[in-house]
Structure formats: structure tokens, C-alpha cells
Amino acid sequence: MELGIQGYQELTVTDNLLACNVGSGSVAVYATPMMIAGIEGTAAGSVAPYLPEGKTTVGTQMNVSHVAATPAGMKVHFETKLIEIAPNGKILTFQVAAFDEAGLIGEGTHQRAIVDKERFEAKAQSKKS
């Protein structure tokens, strides 16, 4: 894995992605949590092909501003770029941005940790005991 890996994903804002329908507000615009999910998915997908078998990434930090509202029916796209790999090789930092057809709607940074998928899920399940 090396710096500069880029991700891109596009979607159309549907009613099920609106703030008033996901519990994050009362307005009929693209919800901030859904924008964040799109950013996370784009970043994760961009580095997935570079991970060893059995490894995945999990989100650990999000520092994003949602700067413009987007109505249902507009296309949104996400762009991510890997800008830092921690010295231990396990923490990845991405520069991230989201756009609708009119321009920038969100930007910031996002960190993901590389984990062993099976061990990570088992540890989470063990909390039930």
C-alpha cells in the first residue's frame, strides 16, 4: 500500500437518505450521517484491494464539515485520497470530499485502522457474554 491511493463513488440522493427519514433532523435534505457513510465506504473500498487476505479496515476517526445541503434527486459523489500511513502501518489517513451537482458539500479527513476481520468481529461478539 502506498500514499496517493484514490477512491471515487457516486450515488443519487433518495428519500431514504434524507435527514428527516434517518433520524438526524427534520429537513428533507441529504443527511450528514449518510454523507459520512458514503465517505467511509469510498475510503474503505479504495484500499481494500491492497490488504492481505483476512484483513479489512474499520473507521476510527472522522473530521468532516457538511457545508451545503443537497435535495433528493441530485447526484452526489465522494472522493478520497490516502495521505498518510502511520509508522506502524496500521492507521490510514484520508483526505476526503463530497460533492453534489452544484459543488462541494463536505470535506475533511478520515482515519481507518487495518484489522484482522475475524479477530475483530470475535472480540465484538465476546461483549455479549
Side-chain angles (χ1 to χ4, degrees):
M1 186 166 326
E2 56 188 52
L3 298 179
I5 294 171
Q6 295 185 14
Y8 181 92
Q9 185 178 344
E10 186 177 290
L11 61 80
T12 299
V13 177
T14 55
D15 286 346
N16 63 318
L17 301 176
L18 301 180
C20 60
N21 294 327
V22 302
S24 68
S26 60
V27 292
V29 299
Y30 189 42
T32 301
M34 305 318 296
M35 180 185 76
I36 289 171
I39 289 168
E40 281 202 88
T42 304
S46 73
V47 295
Y50 303 94
L51 297 172
E53 185 152 341
K55 300 287 186 181
T56 190
T57 61
V58 295
T60 59
Q61 187 177 60
M62 183 68 71
N63 183 11
V64 174
S65 296
H66 194 172
V67 299
T70 304
M74 283 192 95
K75 287 190 191 312
V76 169
H77 77 266
F78 310 101
E79 298 176 6
T80 63
K81 182 177 182 181
L82 181 59
I83 59 169
E84 184 179 339
I85 301 171
N88 67 7
K90 295 180 179 183
I91 305 296
L92 309 175
T93 303
F94 298 85
Q95 179 180 2
V96 299
F99 302 85
D100 64 19
E101 297 169 60
L104 181 73
I105 63 167
E107 63 184 336
T109 58
H110 172 46
Q111 286 188 340
R112 301 189 69 76
I114 298 173
V115 299
D116 180 276
K117 185 178 186 296
E118 196 172 293
R119 191 167 65 218
F120 186 87
E121 289 176 339
K123 184 176 179 182
Q125 289 299 319
S126 74
K127 292 172 81 172
K128 290 187 202 177
S129 304

